[in-house]
Amino acid sequence: MSISSNSLPNDIRRVAAEAGVSIATVSRVFNNPNRVSAKTRRRVLETAARLDYRPNLMGQNLRKGRAQAVGVVIPTPQGRFSDPFFLELLTGLGEGLAEAELDLLVTTCPPGPQELACYQRLVESKRVDALVIARTRRHDERIRYLLQRQTPFVAHGRSDQISQPYAYLDMDGRYGFYLACKHLLGLGHRRIAFIGVSSELNFAHYRLEGYQQALAEVGLIPDPGWILEGDLSEESGYRLTQTLLATTLPPTAILCANDLMALGALQALRELDFKAGQEVSVIGYDDIPLSQYTDPPLSTVHQPIRKMGQRLVEMLLARLNGVAVAELQEVWVPELVLRRSDGAPPV
Amino acid sequence: MSISSNSLPNDIRRVAAEAGVSIATVSRVFNNPNRVSAKTRRRVLETAARLDYRPNLMGQNLRKGRAQAVGVVIPTPQGRFSDPFFLELLTGLGEGLAEAELDLLVTTCPPGPQELACYQRLVESKRVDALVIARTRRHDERIRYLLQRQTPFVAHGRSDQISQPYAYLDMDGRYGFYLACKHLLGLGHRRIAFIGVSSELNFAHYRLEGYQQALAEVGLIPDPGWILEGDLSEESGYRLTQTLLATTLPPTAILCANDLMALGALQALRELDFKAGQEVSVIGYDDIPLSQYTDPPLSTVHQPIRKMGQRLVEMLLARLNGVAVAELQEVWVPELVLRRSDGAPPV
DNA sequence: GCACGTGATGTAAACGTTTTCCAAAAGCCT
DNA sequence: AGGCTTTTGGAAAACGTTTACATCACGTGC
């Protein structure tokens, strides 16, 4: 509010001078309030307020050897748009971090070899205290790197090929798609296709397994031509669905490894005049907010993304407070939410 | 790669020692390479590479008095999910910033009185060098504040009640909805409703004006009951559409101030068994990526969000390089993209 | 009355850089 | 060789904090 009389740098020195104390005292007022007498404390607080003083974060951080920030890098595929999943995750993270006085440093990076460099920059220039990593891969060099650097992090998703323990929060994707596939089988489907993505992505691997397991239990082995690999974009879901339906005996149901691809699938069905949910069933995965507004509303495997974001922050804070990683490994059980994009196969 | 022999702090001092020069020289190698002879430069670079040295950003920033980051705070409505708009904007921003070696500091904040405090913290603790502000309001305290603090920023959207010039990039929303409404009129619609949002939001104000202007040109004044205020959420679009259709002579077309509300509108129509695009037309605004996957695909006013993000960064950098704000004010012309959610009114 | 804890403050050394100023070295030209 | 400019490198002072340590005054118990 009040504009300071002269416009000297508004640093701790100025507050000290105006309050007639040393800068150490000012600092103590903020960091260790009961180490300074009530009288001077009050005086310092007053002048600080009057001058709109706020400690310079760079000074603080340099001295304290921290960054007061956690990083997250979101993969941004070139032309396509990013998965709404990340926005939800981000807001989940943001809410928790604000309370802990931490900021969120968001870097975007096209997936590929440059990605690791991105993490390295953040870590090695000490720009962040910790990281959240998402979309883990089976052989995840990011995790390997962070472990080796001993940089705290939590992962959204596991990484199977890493032996050393680390903190993660994952959904049981195998169970999720086991459930979904079981459900389709129960409805009478026998020709069920799977639109996935490179099994190098850890979650894709599990989701595929769930699908296969459910089929195996009823003695079915899927036609290899029905297990396709997309790239998580709605466009690839669209394209692959088209090819699936072009076959002589097309599947009556399609499991998509994420909602975005499921959206593409629905679109393809629509254009080919297939009634989704009646002639061909589609089930997605993620339950991104928009999946309830598609036509028909998408049946999918629900992931409480925002809540996961919040929990990830809790885990990260625990990690920063020295809680052992062994206690910071969680796998949540997803649930199937049925809307209108699934149904019995045509007779 | 190579693990340094002893594990002393990997700072500039160590590089200097191992290279047999002073720290000043090391620093110069990175900041002012041609002030040091080729021979020593090579030697320093070698040892730096060998030790995996990377300047500590906090040290750098403290010294240089900057933060090497720009902030953006995204409003996160409580229960609802955030507008996909922001994810697109974020990735647009991210791409440009990476090149300029700047990081993006994302803070989430529920809209309301705490919002300004959020900006203040970022600015006054010198955590960011500049800010991007989105969703400007007609009386925008954030802009006022940043102007007063002389903190560089660019706004996505104008703020009409601010007299002092500032950098902005906006779409001509009035024209956008003028176009849309004109189009509906051309199709024969006469009962056109508008689902907006508080005119305190600057863009809402303009979009409403465009709608009114188009109607006025053909001598129509809208039934006041057809101008409704939502809150930008799909849920409010859904609800308001229901009330619109519950009237005895419901509108044959609905203009929605953003795509999210339009999605809700489509959903409401579907549930009431109205054929969207045939019985009732719906036009949205933003062209968020998913609007082409709704049913029917949404006709909307296109905003090149990601591109705007990139341009905002360019403007910000220009601003930081001292370009006058007068040169950094742009209003882009939107275009109407017609998909399937509009059509002639029933006869 | 004296040594002694105790509580409140100040002093100064960090934290890891950049950059200003100097001094030394090295060219270059008569 | 002598004087000049130009390169090159080092010493040291910042940048704004925090914090270990020293200081000092003030009871307090003996």
Side-chain angles (χ1 to χ4, degrees):
Chain A
M1 283 302 131
S2 72
I3 300 298
S4 45
S5 40
N6 64 34
S7 60
L8 286 180
N10 213 11
D11 65 359
I12 200 175
R13 275 181 267 268
R14 206 155 103 79
V15 179
E18 299 229 359
V21 295
S22 77
I23 62 170
T25 304
V26 177
S27 175
R28 272 191 285 256
V29 165
F30 290 105
N31 295 291
N32 221 340
N34 39 10
R35 282 229 16 179
V36 36
S37 78
K39 197 170 48 156
T40 45
R41 190 189 326 152
R42 191 146 16 90
R43 187 153 37 98
V44 168
L45 283 174
E46 258 166 29
T47 49
R50 182 163 51 83
L51 298 180
D52 269 344
Y53 167 71
R54 200 171 303 219
N56 176 311
L57 216 55
M58 295 307 155
Q60 261 186 340
N61 287 347
L62 175 57
R63 173 61 222 233
K64 295 199 176 170
R66 59 169 195 202
Q68 198 90 288
V70 338
V72 54
V73 0
I74 70 183
T76 54
Q78 281 308 4
R80 300 150 25 197
F81 67 95
S82 324
D83 203 318
F85 171 89
F86 282 101
L87 186 56
E88 279 297 292
L89 186 65
L90 243 46
T91 72
L93 292 175
E95 287 170 18
L97 287 173
E99 285 171 28
E101 304 258 270
L102 287 172
D103 283 306
L104 189 60
L105 205 70
V106 175
T107 302
T108 58
C109 179
Q114 329 153 43
E115 199 180 14
L116 188 59
C118 200
Y119 282 84
Q120 288 174 328
R121 188 178 63 82
L122 254 33
V123 169
E124 287 168 29
S125 67
K126 299 216 177 22
R127 204 183 173 115
V128 297
D129 297 318
L131 287 155
V132 174
I133 92 177
R135 225 173 243 178
T136 47
R137 292 187 282 274
R138 272 170 80 71
H139 307 82
D140 205 308
E141 49 180 354
R142 302 170 298 171
I143 296 189
R144 217 182 295 281
Y145 169 72
L146 293 176
L147 281 172
Q148 179 228 319
R149 294 280 312 192
Q150 312 206 47
T151 302
F153 71 96
V154 296
H156 176 276
R158 286 159 287 177
S159 175
D160 287 342
Q161 303 297 316
I162 304 273
S163 52
Q164 214 174 328
Y166 57 92
Y168 62 76
L169 169 56
D170 201 356
M171 296 296 291
D172 188 345
R174 181 200 281 130
Y175 179 70
F177 259 10
Y178 171 77
L179 230 53
C181 192
K182 202 85 179 162
H183 169 73
L184 290 171
L185 289 167
L187 288 172
H189 291 272
R190 283 301 173 271
R191 303 202 305 277
I192 306 177
F194 180 89
I195 297 186
V197 60
S198 161
S199 274
E200 180 51 20
L201 283 170
N202 212 74
F203 71 82
H205 174 72
Y206 281 120
R207 292 175 198 176
L208 176 58
E209 271 190 8
Y211 157 77
Q212 287 170 324
Q213 182 183 338
L215 289 183
E217 281 188 8
V218 299
L220 286 177
I221 50 168
D223 181 332
W226 285 349
I227 300 188
L228 301 179
E229 263 188 26
D231 62 3
L232 295 179
S233 72
E234 69 295 351
E235 192 273 335
S236 80
Y238 173 78
R239 198 167 23 77
L240 292 175
T241 300
Q242 284 182 325
T243 65
L244 276 174
L245 295 177
T247 56
T248 53
L249 194 63
T252 61
I254 308 177
L255 248 41
C256 296
N258 74 340
D259 282 353
L260 237 38
M261 293 199 297
L263 289 190
L266 290 182
Q267 163 107 339
L269 292 179
R270 202 155 43 230
E271 289 187 6
L272 295 170
D273 272 327
F274 280 91
K275 278 235 174 280
Q278 291 169 243
E279 289 164 296
V280 178
S281 292
V282 172
I283 296 188
Y285 197 114
D286 275 351
D287 199 13
I288 58 175
L290 285 165
S291 55
Q292 52 192 306
Y293 292 97
T294 56
D295 173 56
L298 185 66
S299 298
T300 188
V301 179
H302 178 73
Q303 229 185 140
I305 311 177
R306 201 185 279 207
K307 195 169 295 175
M308 291 184 90
Q310 290 167 340
R311 179 68 189 138
L312 280 168
V313 173
E314 291 173 14
M315 293 171 70
L316 200 60
L317 296 177
R319 185 61 241 280
L320 289 170
N321 286 328
V323 175
V325 288
E327 298 173 39
L328 297 173
Q329 306 185 321
E330 301 183 6
V331 178
W332 292 3
V333 176
E335 54 189 274
L336 187 58
V337 348
L338 295 176
R339 298 203 177 95
R340 318 294 311 264
S341 68
D342 69 289
V347 282
Chain B
M1 281 304 129
S2 71
I3 299 297
S4 44
S5 42
N6 65 34
S7 60
L8 285 181
N10 213 11
D11 64 0
I12 201 176
R13 274 180 267 267
R14 205 153 104 79
V15 180
E18 299 229 1
V21 297
S22 77
I23 62 169
T25 305
V26 177
S27 174
R28 272 191 284 256
V29 166
F30 290 105
N31 296 291
N32 219 342
N34 38 11
R35 273 237 24 198
V36 39
S37 78
K39 197 169 45 153
T40 46
R41 191 191 324 152
R42 190 146 17 90
R43 187 153 38 97
V44 168
L45 283 174
E46 258 166 31
T47 50
R50 181 162 52 82
L51 299 180
D52 270 343
Y53 168 71
R54 199 172 302 221
N56 176 311
L57 214 56
M58 295 307 155
Q60 262 187 338
N61 287 348
L62 175 58
R63 173 61 225 229
K64 294 198 177 169
R66 59 170 193 202
Q68 197 91 288
V70 338
V72 53
V73 0
I74 69 182
T76 54
Q78 281 310 4
R80 298 149 27 196
F81 67 94
S82 325
D83 203 317
F85 170 88
F86 282 101
L87 185 57
E88 278 299 291
L89 186 65
L90 242 47
T91 72
L93 293 174
E95 286 170 19
L97 287 173
E99 285 170 30
E101 304 260 270
L102 287 172
D103 284 306
L104 189 61
L105 206 68
V106 175
T107 302
T108 59
C109 179
Q114 329 153 44
E115 199 179 15
L116 188 59
C118 199
Y119 283 84
Q120 288 174 327
R121 187 178 63 82
L122 254 33
V123 169
E124 287 168 29
S125 68
K126 298 213 175 27
R127 200 177 181 121
V128 298
D129 298 319
L131 287 155
V132 174
I133 92 177
R135 224 174 245 176
T136 48
R137 293 188 281 274
R138 273 172 78 73
H139 307 82
D140 205 308
E141 50 179 355
R142 301 169 299 173
I143 296 187
R144 215 183 294 283
Y145 169 72
L146 294 176
L147 281 172
Q148 179 229 318
R149 293 280 312 191
Q150 312 207 49
T151 302
F153 71 97
V154 296
H156 176 276
R158 288 160 285 178
S159 174
D160 287 342
Q161 303 298 317
I162 304 273
S163 51
Q164 213 173 331
Y166 58 91
Y168 61 77
L169 169 56
D170 201 356
M171 297 296 289
D172 188 344
R174 182 198 283 131
Y175 180 70
F177 259 11
Y178 171 78
L179 228 53
C181 192
K182 202 86 178 160
H183 170 72
L184 290 171
L185 288 167
L187 288 173
H189 290 273
R190 282 302 172 270
R191 302 201 305 278
I192 306 177
F194 180 89
I195 297 186
V197 59
S198 161
S199 274
E200 179 53 19
L201 283 171
N202 212 72
F203 71 81
H205 174 72
Y206 280 120
R207 292 176 197 176
L208 176 59
E209 272 191 7
Y211 158 77
Q212 288 170 323
Q213 183 183 339
L215 289 184
E217 280 187 10
V218 298
L220 286 177
I221 51 167
D223 182 332
W226 285 350
I227 300 187
L228 300 179
E229 263 189 28
D231 61 4
L232 295 179
S233 73
E234 71 294 354
E235 191 274 335
S236 79
Y238 174 78
R239 197 166 26 78
L240 293 175
T241 300
Q242 284 182 325
T243 65
L244 276 173
L245 295 177
T247 56
T248 52
L249 194 63
T252 61
I254 308 177
L255 247 42
C256 296
N258 74 339
D259 282 353
L260 237 38
M261 293 199 296
L263 288 190
L266 291 181
Q267 162 106 340
L269 292 179
R270 200 153 47 230
E271 289 188 6
L272 296 170
D273 273 326
F274 280 90
K275 279 234 175 277
Q278 291 168 246
E279 290 163 297
V280 178
S281 292
V282 173
I283 296 188
Y285 197 115
D286 275 350
D287 200 12
I288 58 175
L290 285 165
S291 56
Q292 53 191 303
Y293 291 97
T294 56
D295 172 55
L298 186 66
S299 297
T300 187
V301 180
H302 178 73
Q303 227 185 141
I305 311 178
R306 203 185 276 208
K307 196 169 292 173
M308 291 183 90
Q310 290 166 340
R311 180 65 189 140
L312 280 168
V313 173
E314 289 173 15
M315 293 171 70
L316 200 60
L317 295 177
R319 186 60 243 279
L320 288 171
N321 287 328
V323 175
V325 288
E327 296 174 41
L328 297 173
Q329 306 184 322
E330 301 183 6
V331 177
W332 292 4
V333 176
E335 53 190 274
L336 187 58
V337 347
L338 294 176
R339 298 204 177 94
R340 319 293 310 266
S341 68
D342 68 288
V347 282

mmCIF file of all heavy atoms in Angstrom, chain A residues 12 24 27 31 53 56 60 63, chain D residues 15-22:
data_model
loop_
_atom_site.group_PDB
_atom_site.id
_atom_site.type_symbol
_atom_site.label_atom_id
_atom_site.label_comp_id
_atom_site.label_asym_id
_atom_site.label_seq_id
_atom_site.Cartn_x
_atom_site.Cartn_y
_atom_site.Cartn_z
ATOM 1 N N ILE A 12 16.288 -6.577 3.191
ATOM 2 C CA ILE A 12 16.302 -6.775 4.633
ATOM 3 C C ILE A 12 17.076 -5.665 5.336
ATOM 4 O O ILE A 12 16.756 -5.273 6.448
ATOM 5 C CB ILE A 12 16.912 -8.160 4.955
ATOM 6 C CG1 ILE A 12 16.500 -8.608 6.346
ATOM 7 C CG2 ILE A 12 18.406 -8.162 4.764
ATOM 8 C CD1 ILE A 12 16.962 -10.007 6.673
ATOM 9 N N ALA A 24 20.308 -9.414 11.116
ATOM 10 C CA ALA A 24 20.132 -10.737 11.717
ATOM 11 C C ALA A 24 18.819 -10.798 12.469
ATOM 12 O O ALA A 24 18.078 -11.777 12.380
ATOM 13 C CB ALA A 24 21.293 -11.039 12.638
ATOM 14 N N SER A 27 15.898 -11.082 10.156
ATOM 15 C CA SER A 27 15.807 -12.442 9.649
ATOM 16 C C SER A 27 15.210 -13.362 10.709
ATOM 17 O O SER A 27 14.331 -14.173 10.428
ATOM 18 C CB SER A 27 17.193 -12.933 9.263
ATOM 19 O OG SER A 27 17.146 -14.283 8.886
ATOM 20 N N ASN A 31 12.220 -16.192 10.694
ATOM 21 C CA ASN A 31 12.553 -17.606 10.676
ATOM 22 C C ASN A 31 12.514 -18.265 12.042
ATOM 23 O O ASN A 31 12.420 -19.476 12.140
ATOM 24 C CB ASN A 31 13.956 -17.808 10.095
ATOM 25 C CG ASN A 31 14.015 -17.390 8.655
ATOM 26 O OD1 ASN A 31 13.427 -18.035 7.807
ATOM 27 N ND2 ASN A 31 14.695 -16.286 8.375
ATOM 28 N N TYR A 53 7.873 -5.311 2.834
ATOM 29 C CA TYR A 53 9.053 -6.162 2.676
ATOM 30 C C TYR A 53 8.662 -7.619 2.530
ATOM 31 O O TYR A 53 7.769 -8.112 3.207
ATOM 32 C CB TYR A 53 9.987 -6.015 3.882
ATOM 33 C CG TYR A 53 11.051 -7.078 3.914
ATOM 34 C CD1 TYR A 53 12.088 -7.051 2.996
ATOM 35 C CD2 TYR A 53 10.999 -8.118 4.846
ATOM 36 C CE1 TYR A 53 13.057 -8.041 3.006
ATOM 37 C CE2 TYR A 53 11.969 -9.094 4.864
ATOM 38 C CZ TYR A 53 12.990 -9.056 3.942
ATOM 39 O OH TYR A 53 13.948 -10.035 3.952
ATOM 40 N N ASN A 56 13.688 -11.842 -0.359
ATOM 41 C CA ASN A 56 14.039 -12.206 -1.731
ATOM 42 C C ASN A 56 14.306 -13.705 -1.784
ATOM 43 O O ASN A 56 15.191 -14.227 -1.121
ATOM 44 C CB ASN A 56 15.277 -11.427 -2.157
ATOM 45 C CG ASN A 56 15.746 -11.814 -3.528
ATOM 46 O OD1 ASN A 56 15.875 -12.999 -3.825
ATOM 47 N ND2 ASN A 56 15.997 -10.843 -4.359
ATOM 48 N N GLN A 60 17.290 -16.182 -0.188
ATOM 49 C CA GLN A 60 16.911 -17.258 0.717
ATOM 50 C C GLN A 60 17.347 -18.619 0.204
ATOM 51 O O GLN A 60 17.984 -19.392 0.918
ATOM 52 C CB GLN A 60 15.387 -17.280 0.852
ATOM 53 C CG GLN A 60 14.874 -16.605 2.065
ATOM 54 C CD GLN A 60 13.375 -16.785 2.204
ATOM 55 O OE1 GLN A 60 12.670 -17.093 1.246
ATOM 56 N NE2 GLN A 60 12.886 -16.579 3.407
ATOM 57 N N ARG A 63 21.082 -19.276 0.114
ATOM 58 C CA ARG A 63 21.597 -19.533 1.443
ATOM 59 C C ARG A 63 21.159 -20.907 1.962
ATOM 60 O O ARG A 63 21.943 -21.680 2.481
ATOM 61 C CB ARG A 63 21.106 -18.435 2.371
ATOM 62 C CG ARG A 63 21.417 -18.643 3.822
ATOM 63 C CD ARG A 63 22.916 -18.710 4.049
ATOM 64 N NE ARG A 63 23.233 -19.758 4.977
ATOM 65 C CZ ARG A 63 23.960 -19.595 6.067
ATOM 66 N NH1 ARG A 63 24.502 -18.422 6.331
ATOM 67 N NH2 ARG A 63 24.179 -20.584 6.868
ATOM 68 P P DC D 15 24.765 -4.767 -3.577
ATOM 69 O OP1 DC D 15 24.332 -3.456 -4.100
ATOM 70 O OP2 DC D 15 24.953 -4.975 -2.133
ATOM 71 O "O5'" DC D 15 23.736 -5.865 -4.064
ATOM 72 C "C5'" DC D 15 23.649 -6.287 -5.394
ATOM 73 C "C4'" DC D 15 23.083 -7.676 -5.435
ATOM 74 O "O4'" DC D 15 24.169 -8.619 -5.389
ATOM 75 C "C3'" DC D 15 22.244 -8.026 -4.206
ATOM 76 O "O3'" DC D 15 20.892 -7.704 -4.494
ATOM 77 C "C2'" DC D 15 22.452 -9.524 -4.047
ATOM 78 C "C1'" DC D 15 23.674 -9.835 -4.888
ATOM 79 N N1 DC D 15 24.799 -10.487 -4.165
ATOM 80 C C2 DC D 15 25.368 -11.641 -4.703
ATOM 81 O O2 DC D 15 24.921 -12.097 -5.771
ATOM 82 N N3 DC D 15 26.387 -12.246 -4.042
ATOM 83 C C4 DC D 15 26.842 -11.723 -2.902
ATOM 84 N N4 DC D 15 27.845 -12.344 -2.300
ATOM 85 C C5 DC D 15 26.273 -10.534 -2.354
ATOM 86 C C6 DC D 15 25.276 -9.962 -3.012
ATOM 87 P P DG D 16 20.096 -6.842 -3.402
ATOM 88 O OP1 DG D 16 18.885 -6.307 -4.050
ATOM 89 O OP2 DG D 16 21.023 -5.956 -2.685
ATOM 90 O "O5'" DG D 16 19.630 -7.969 -2.386
ATOM 91 C "C5'" DG D 16 18.727 -8.952 -2.850
ATOM 92 C "C4'" DG D 16 18.569 -9.999 -1.793
ATOM 93 O "O4'" DG D 16 19.856 -10.636 -1.585
ATOM 94 C "C3'" DG D 16 18.164 -9.446 -0.431
ATOM 95 O "O3'" DG D 16 17.105 -10.239 0.043
ATOM 96 C "C2'" DG D 16 19.409 -9.585 0.422
ATOM 97 C "C1'" DG D 16 20.068 -10.789 -0.202
ATOM 98 N N9 DG D 16 21.514 -10.854 -0.025
ATOM 99 C C8 DG D 16 22.395 -9.805 -0.001
ATOM 100 N N7 DG D 16 23.640 -10.174 0.161
ATOM 101 C C5 DG D 16 23.569 -11.562 0.243
ATOM 102 C C6 DG D 16 24.599 -12.515 0.430
ATOM 103 O O6 DG D 16 25.810 -12.317 0.546
ATOM 104 N N1 DG D 16 24.102 -13.809 0.463
ATOM 105 C C2 DG D 16 22.763 -14.131 0.335
ATOM 106 N N2 DG D 16 22.467 -15.429 0.390
ATOM 107 N N3 DG D 16 21.795 -13.257 0.169
ATOM 108 C C4 DG D 16 22.264 -11.990 0.134
ATOM 109 P P DT D 17 16.300 -9.925 1.347
ATOM 110 O OP1 DT D 17 14.949 -9.603 0.973
ATOM 111 O OP2 DT D 17 17.079 -8.996 2.195
ATOM 112 O "O5'" DT D 17 16.242 -11.358 2.033
ATOM 113 C "C5'" DT D 17 17.213 -11.710 2.980
ATOM 114 C "C4'" DT D 17 17.599 -13.139 2.797
ATOM 115 O "O4'" DT D 17 18.876 -13.154 2.191
ATOM 116 C "C3'" DT D 17 17.705 -13.864 4.112
ATOM 117 O "O3'" DT D 17 16.603 -14.718 4.236
ATOM 118 C "C2'" DT D 17 18.992 -14.654 4.005
ATOM 119 C "C1'" DT D 17 19.752 -14.043 2.842
ATOM 120 N N1 DT D 17 20.968 -13.275 3.208
ATOM 121 C C2 DT D 17 22.120 -13.957 3.505
ATOM 122 O O2 DT D 17 22.195 -15.171 3.507
ATOM 123 N N3 DT D 17 23.188 -13.155 3.805
ATOM 124 C C4 DT D 17 23.214 -11.790 3.836
ATOM 125 O O4 DT D 17 24.235 -11.195 4.109
ATOM 126 C C5 DT D 17 21.980 -11.133 3.522
ATOM 127 C C7 DT D 17 21.914 -9.645 3.508
ATOM 128 C C6 DT D 17 20.921 -11.901 3.225
ATOM 129 P P DT D 18 16.262 -15.257 5.684
ATOM 130 O OP1 DT D 18 15.080 -16.109 5.539
ATOM 131 O OP2 DT D 18 16.246 -14.111 6.599
ATOM 132 O "O5'" DT D 18 17.517 -16.165 6.046
ATOM 133 C "C5'" DT D 18 17.598 -17.455 5.489
ATOM 134 C "C4'" DT D 18 18.817 -18.157 6.039
ATOM 135 O "O4'" DT D 18 19.961 -17.284 5.956
ATOM 136 C "C3'" DT D 18 18.715 -18.581 7.491
ATOM 137 O "O3'" DT D 18 19.265 -19.890 7.560
ATOM 138 C "C2'" DT D 18 19.570 -17.563 8.229
ATOM 139 C "C1'" DT D 18 20.635 -17.255 7.196
ATOM 140 N N1 DT D 18 21.315 -15.942 7.255
ATOM 141 C C2 DT D 18 22.691 -15.900 7.274
ATOM 142 O O2 DT D 18 23.388 -16.893 7.276
ATOM 143 N N3 DT D 18 23.239 -14.642 7.294
ATOM 144 C C4 DT D 18 22.553 -13.443 7.284
ATOM 145 O O4 DT D 18 23.154 -12.375 7.295
ATOM 146 C C5 DT D 18 21.115 -13.555 7.258
ATOM 147 C C7 DT D 18 20.279 -12.323 7.248
ATOM 148 C C6 DT D 18 20.565 -14.783 7.252
ATOM 149 P P DT D 19 18.950 -20.814 8.810
ATOM 150 O OP1 DT D 19 18.872 -22.194 8.318
ATOM 151 O OP2 DT D 19 17.874 -20.225 9.613
ATOM 152 O "O5'" DT D 19 20.312 -20.677 9.627
ATOM 153 C "C5'" DT D 19 21.509 -20.994 8.964
ATOM 154 C "C4'" DT D 19 22.683 -20.705 9.882
ATOM 155 O "O4'" DT D 19 23.046 -19.307 9.798
ATOM 156 C "C3'" DT D 19 22.420 -20.970 11.369
ATOM 157 O "O3'" DT D 19 23.619 -21.442 11.921
ATOM 158 C "C2'" DT D 19 22.109 -19.586 11.911
ATOM 159 C "C1'" DT D 19 23.118 -18.775 11.103
ATOM 160 N N1 DT D 19 22.864 -17.325 10.991
ATOM 161 C C2 DT D 19 23.930 -16.496 10.766
ATOM 162 O O2 DT D 19 25.073 -16.892 10.663
ATOM 163 N N3 DT D 19 23.602 -15.172 10.671
ATOM 164 C C4 DT D 19 22.342 -14.611 10.777
ATOM 165 O O4 DT D 19 22.183 -13.410 10.664
ATOM 166 C C5 DT D 19 21.273 -15.547 11.010
ATOM 167 C C7 DT D 19 19.879 -15.049 11.139
ATOM 168 C C6 DT D 19 21.582 -16.852 11.108
ATOM 169 P P DA D 20 23.544 -22.673 12.936
ATOM 170 O OP1 DA D 20 23.294 -23.856 12.110
ATOM 171 O OP2 DA D 20 22.662 -22.346 14.075
ATOM 172 O "O5'" DA D 20 25.048 -22.735 13.463
ATOM 173 C "C5'" DA D 20 26.095 -22.861 12.516
ATOM 174 C "C4'" DA D 20 27.310 -22.074 12.979
ATOM 175 O "O4'" DA D 20 27.044 -20.658 12.842
ATOM 176 C "C3'" DA D 20 27.683 -22.291 14.444
ATOM 177 O "O3'" DA D 20 29.107 -22.277 14.548
ATOM 178 C "C2'" DA D 20 27.042 -21.102 15.158
ATOM 179 C "C1'" DA D 20 27.188 -20.016 14.101
ATOM 180 N N9 DA D 20 26.149 -18.989 14.142
ATOM 181 C C8 DA D 20 24.794 -19.173 14.271
ATOM 182 N N7 DA D 20 24.104 -18.056 14.262
ATOM 183 C C5 DA D 20 25.066 -17.078 14.114
ATOM 184 C C6 DA D 20 24.983 -15.682 14.030
ATOM 185 N N6 DA D 20 23.835 -15.003 14.078
ATOM 186 N N1 DA D 20 26.141 -14.992 13.883
ATOM 187 C C2 DA D 20 27.289 -15.670 13.821
ATOM 188 N N3 DA D 20 27.500 -16.984 13.886
ATOM 189 C C4 DA D 20 26.336 -17.634 14.030
ATOM 190 P P DC D 21 29.794 -22.633 15.919
ATOM 191 O OP1 DC D 21 31.051 -23.322 15.605
ATOM 192 O OP2 DC D 21 28.783 -23.234 16.804
ATOM 193 O "O5'" DC D 21 30.156 -21.192 16.477
ATOM 194 C "C5'" DC D 21 30.896 -20.295 15.651
ATOM 195 C "C4'" DC D 21 30.900 -18.929 16.280
ATOM 196 O "O4'" DC D 21 29.606 -18.315 16.120
ATOM 197 C "C3'" DC D 21 31.184 -18.916 17.782
ATOM 198 O "O3'" DC D 21 32.385 -18.204 17.997
ATOM 199 C "C2'" DC D 21 29.967 -18.223 18.396
ATOM 200 C "C1'" DC D 21 29.410 -17.445 17.215
ATOM 201 N N1 DC D 21 27.961 -17.157 17.293
ATOM 202 C C2 DC D 21 27.543 -15.835 17.150
ATOM 203 O O2 DC D 21 28.388 -14.952 16.969
ATOM 204 N N3 DC D 21 26.208 -15.561 17.220
ATOM 205 C C4 DC D 21 25.335 -16.546 17.416
ATOM 206 N N4 DC D 21 24.055 -16.231 17.466
ATOM 207 C C5 DC D 21 25.754 -17.898 17.558
ATOM 208 C C6 DC D 21 27.059 -18.164 17.490
ATOM 209 P P DA D 22 32.905 -17.991 19.460
ATOM 210 O OP1 DA D 22 34.381 -18.096 19.390
ATOM 211 O OP2 DA D 22 32.127 -18.808 20.413
ATOM 212 O "O5'" DA D 22 32.529 -16.460 19.656
ATOM 213 C "C5'" DA D 22 33.028 -15.505 18.714
ATOM 214 C "C4'" DA D 22 32.507 -14.129 19.092
ATOM 215 O "O4'" DA D 22 31.065 -14.119 18.946
ATOM 216 C "C3'" DA D 22 32.796 -13.723 20.536
ATOM 217 O "O3'" DA D 22 33.189 -12.353 20.536
ATOM 218 C "C2'" DA D 22 31.465 -13.943 21.253
ATOM 219 C "C1'" DA D 22 30.474 -13.637 20.141
ATOM 220 N N9 DA D 22 29.179 -14.303 20.255
ATOM 221 C C8 DA D 22 28.949 -15.643 20.386
ATOM 222 N N7 DA D 22 27.683 -15.963 20.451
ATOM 223 C C5 DA D 22 27.032 -14.748 20.357
ATOM 224 C C6 DA D 22 25.674 -14.399 20.357
ATOM 225 N N6 DA D 22 24.687 -15.298 20.471
ATOM 226 N N1 DA D 22 25.351 -13.087 20.246
ATOM 227 C C2 DA D 22 26.345 -12.194 20.128
ATOM 228 N N3 DA D 22 27.665 -12.403 20.104
ATOM 229 C C4 DA D 22 27.932 -13.712 20.222
#
